[in-house]
Amino acid sequence: MDLDKKNIVLIGMMGSGKSTIGYLLSKTIDLKFIDIDKTIEKETSLKIHNIFEKKGEAYFRNLEEKITLKFLKSKRKIISLGGGGFLNKNIRKETLINNVSFWLNWKSKTIIKRIYKSKKRPLAFDVSENDLKKIIIERSKTYSEANFKINCESLTKNMIVNQIKSIYEKN
Ligand code: S3P
């Protein structure tokens, strides 16, 4: 077993499938799957939207940074970041040091539809479609710093997984 295998880091907007793809990838590659949001929920015994409500966003972002950096410094993991994770300078810097990162990119329209369907995303509770679009465009500039961009729009989940796997194995 190669103990030095780099982490795979999945980046992208809320609703881009980071958790689903990370889980599916972990079934095909011998790396442990870490979902940062789920880890934060476990550690605090609170759902993400409750953390935002009860403790505020700053508290969440602090915890997100601490937990994410810890995993980024380890090896042999598939790490799905929260949608805001890669916007944090320290997380971004560490991600780009010794990990292989993938941005799961979709059309804004697709992401917006998915965000509105989900009730669990505090940052999107009261945001208009137009503002969400602006957020997506703004964040995409930063997401594009990931090592690789996967255009997911016309791909099945399995195709996304296979693309990531094949790129990872060459790196
Ligand atoms: C956030 C995305 C969420 C979660 C939190 C903040 C963001 O993660 O970390 O609600 O800033 O985009 P998902 O991308 O898994 O929904």
Side-chain angles (χ1 to χ4, degrees):
M1 188 165 80
D2 179 0
L3 292 174
D4 262 353
K5 269 192 150 185
K6 289 180 182 173
N7 297 322
I8 293 177
V9 183
L10 301 179
I11 288 161
M13 277 298 292
M14 311 168 236
S16 62
K18 302 177 295 287
S19 303
T20 308
I21 298 299
Y23 171 76
L24 293 174
L25 259 175
S26 71
K27 300 277 143 207
T28 73
I29 309 183
D30 183 25
L31 301 177
K32 189 173 181 225
F33 175 48
I34 304 291
D35 184 310
I36 296 294
D37 281 350
K38 293 255 162 62
T39 309
I40 293 173
E41 289 184 339
K42 248 190 231 153
E43 203 150 298
T44 55
S45 307
L46 287 170
K47 292 281 172 204
I48 300 288
H49 67 92
N50 286 326
I51 304 177
F52 271 72
E53 264 164 41
K54 292 192 175 140
K55 314 239 180 198
E57 180 170 354
Y59 176 90
F60 171 80
R61 295 297 177 197
N62 254 322
L63 199 55
E64 179 182 43
E65 177 178 299
K66 199 178 103 207
I67 289 176
T68 308
L69 288 178
K70 182 181 93 183
F71 285 114
L72 286 174
K73 286 176 182 161
S74 68
K75 294 264 188 302
R76 301 188 61 88
K77 310 257 182 333
I78 296 164
I79 304 170
S80 68
L81 299 189
F86 198 62
L87 306 173
N88 170 310
K89 213 166 130 204
N90 296 330
I91 292 179
R92 193 160 66 247
K93 206 167 133 205
E94 190 62 40
T95 299
L96 296 174
I97 289 177
N98 210 13
N99 304 279
V100 189
S101 52
F102 296 87
W103 169 26
L104 304 185
N105 181 47
W106 298 83
K107 285 187 187 152
S108 305
K109 238 187 173 171
T110 310
I111 290 289
I112 290 170
K113 236 196 256 163
R114 291 205 193 143
I115 291 175
Y116 278 139
K117 256 203 214 157
S118 152
K119 298 266 173 285
K120 58 175 192 198
R121 299 205 157 92
L123 286 185
F125 280 167
D126 289 316
V127 184
S128 71
E129 190 167 331
N130 219 19
D131 285 346
L132 265 180
K133 203 166 175 184
K134 279 191 206 144
I135 294 174
I136 295 171
I137 291 169
E138 190 54 38
R139 284 185 169 194
S140 296
K141 291 182 204 152
T142 307
Y143 293 153
S144 71
E145 291 180 38
N147 298 132
F148 300 97
K149 169 177 164 183
I150 308 288
N151 285 322
C152 300
E153 201 65 42
S154 54
L155 303 179
T156 63
K157 285 177 197 159
N158 275 339
M159 286 158 89
I160 298 171
V161 167
N162 289 336
Q163 269 202 24
I164 293 175
K165 196 176 164 195
S166 109
I167 294 171
Y168 177 72
E169 282 167 356
K170 287 186 213 130
N171 275 272

